Each structure stands twice: as structure tokens, then as C-alpha cells.
Amino acid sequence: MEVEGFWIMCRTNSGAGRRQLADPRPPRPGFRHQPRRTPEPAGILRSLDAVIANPPDVITVLIGTNDARASLADYRVDKAMKRKQLPERPSAGWFQQCLGAVVERLRAETDATIGLLSLPVLGQRLDGPAVQASQRYSRMIAEVATANEVTYLPLHERQIEELRRADPPPIPYREVTPAAGLGVFVQHAVLRRGLDTISRRRNLVLTTDHIHQNSRGAALIAEVVDAGLLTRNA
């Protein structure tokens, strides 16, 4: 069985960022995972041709973190629009429209089982605006899944459960800057610190920087996909 996954998170030029959503466990026998990266729902619409040309059996879609970040007060929306050449300002309505269009095309042009994951939790202060933003956008994803009759995979809910169990310090969310991204890269590539070590040094449970997943966060992604789709389609 072939599994296609869209892991749509904040783009980074560092190798650390590109590996953060890798399943830390070995691949299950009989499954082939082919992740594709695009910056946001509008971008993923332009990348579907390759998937549809060689359709897999299962498609998982994880997009919206950048859109949720763009709803926060300290996110530099204008700069992001220029860098990513977005045709319009990110908004909740545009996000739902683009995600709905992605699902509609995948349903119309493939026979794959489709799963939409809710977002990884932004930050770890559960009553903070970043967590609330990721929760709002996760609700939108659930609405799109229901409207299009595809599987909803409750990643956000599972990560909230994990954070409540861990009871981490309520470290305020900070938007990732180029300098912060470089800091993670230096620690990982130069100082040879693992992503989990970087997380521990920052008292972060699931991420290295409030956004990008460490192995614990990535394992929860794999767990939710496995429980919601792969076991069912084995």
C-alpha cells in the first residue's frame, strides 16, 4: 500500500527543519511514504498533479500551521506575503476555501482514502493565543473534513492531551525569527545536538521552537495517522 503525506509546516532551509516531521519509527512493511512540501494551502493546489498522476492508496494532509501563525498579532504578514508571493492576505475564509479545493480535487481524481490532520499545537501555554489559534484552525479542518466526507485525524487534540499530562512550564510563545532558526541549525548541525536535546534545553515538550516538531511531537503525528488510517487500510 502506498501512502502519500503532505506535511505542511513552516518552511526552513535547515536540514533540521526538513527532518522534523519524519516518523521516528521504521516504516511499516508494505507502506511507502512520499512526503511533499509546499508552504500553504494555496501552494499545495499547484503541487497536486504529481500526486494524481501516480495516485497512492492513502493520502494524509497536514496544512494550516502558517495560516494559524498569520492570525497572531506578532506575525509579520506583509513580509510573509511578499516572500511567498501570496495572491491575497491569509485569512480563515481563504484557508478553508483552499483546503476544500484540495480535498475536492483529490476525491474527484483519485480513489485514495484521505485523512485531514488537525494542526500540531503552537507553543505549549494552553491558555495562550498561539494554542488558541491552532485550535481555531483545527476546528476549520474538522469542518472541511465533515463537509467533504473524509477522515478527520485529531492530532491537535492528541497533542493537547500529551501537554496536559506533561504539565510543562507555561513558556510564552515566540514567533520564529531567522536568527532563532539559525540558532537551531547551529545547535543541530554544528554542535551536534539532537532535536530532543534542543527541546529539553528550552523546556519544550513537543517542539524545538514552539512550532517545529521534535521526535515526541512527530511520534504523535505517526500515532494519529496509524490509528486513524493505516491500521484500517492494512
Side-chain angles (χ1 to χ4, degrees):
M1 180 178 292
E2 185 177 340
V3 181
E4 185 79 35
F6 292 96
W7 298 144
I8 312 302
M9 302 290 285
C10 175
R11 287 193 300 179
T12 175
N13 292 325
S14 72
R18 288 194 295 272
R19 287 193 294 269
Q20 280 166 0
L21 285 181
D23 186 345
R25 305 171 304 173
R28 289 181 57 187
F31 288 82
R32 182 159 59 94
H33 180 217
Q34 296 177 304
R36 296 179 186 274
R37 288 183 169 275
T38 54
E40 62 282 310
I44 200 175
L45 282 168
R46 299 189 292 268
S47 73
L48 293 180
D49 290 347
V51 178
I52 290 168
N54 185 24
D57 298 297
V58 175
I59 298 173
T60 58
V61 181
L62 172 50
I63 55 180
T65 292
N66 286 343
D67 298 83
R69 291 168 64 202
S71 72
L72 298 172
D74 59 349
Y75 189 80
R76 301 180 67 178
V77 177
D78 292 338
K79 186 174 180 180
M81 288 180 64
K82 183 177 180 180
R83 184 175 71 251
K84 298 178 182 180
Q85 299 181 324
L86 299 181
E88 62 181 84
R89 193 175 185 85
S91 67
W94 189 39
F95 169 73
Q96 286 186 292
Q97 178 185 347
C98 291
L99 180 57
V102 167
V103 177
E104 287 174 9
R105 187 174 178 204
L106 289 174
R107 287 196 66 198
E109 301 186 43
T110 77
D111 294 322
T113 299
I114 300 168
L116 303 187
L117 290 101
S118 54
L119 299 187
V121 176
L122 282 173
Q124 63 182 30
R125 183 176 170 182
L126 297 183
D127 61 349
V131 171
Q132 292 171 0
S134 56
Q135 186 177 53
R136 283 195 306 274
Y137 275 76
S138 292
R139 290 197 201 102
M140 297 176 206
I141 293 168
E143 291 171 4
V144 171
T146 298
N148 289 276
E149 300 181 331
V150 298
T151 301
Y152 174 71
L153 301 172
L155 172 62
H156 188 275
E157 296 84 340
R158 180 67 183 89
Q159 289 200 345
I160 288 288
E161 177 186 317
E162 190 77 4
L163 286 170
R164 285 189 174 133
R165 183 182 295 117
D167 192 23
I171 300 171
Y173 173 86
R174 290 184 179 180
E175 185 56 48
V176 173
T177 63
L182 179 61
V184 173
F185 173 78
V186 169
Q187 289 194 61
H188 186 65
V190 179
L191 300 179
R192 303 297 183 185
R193 290 173 181 157
L195 299 181
D196 294 340
T197 299
I198 295 171
S199 296
R200 283 194 298 271
R201 290 170 64 90
R202 297 178 172 185
N203 289 317
L204 297 174
V205 175
L206 302 177
T207 69
T208 59
D209 54 10
H210 297 286
I211 298 171
H212 299 101
Q213 308 292 287
N214 60 21
S215 68
R216 188 171 177 179
L220 292 177
I221 296 174
E223 174 190 309
V224 169
V225 171
D226 189 74
L229 285 181
L230 300 190
T231 301
R232 183 190 312 170
N233 287 274

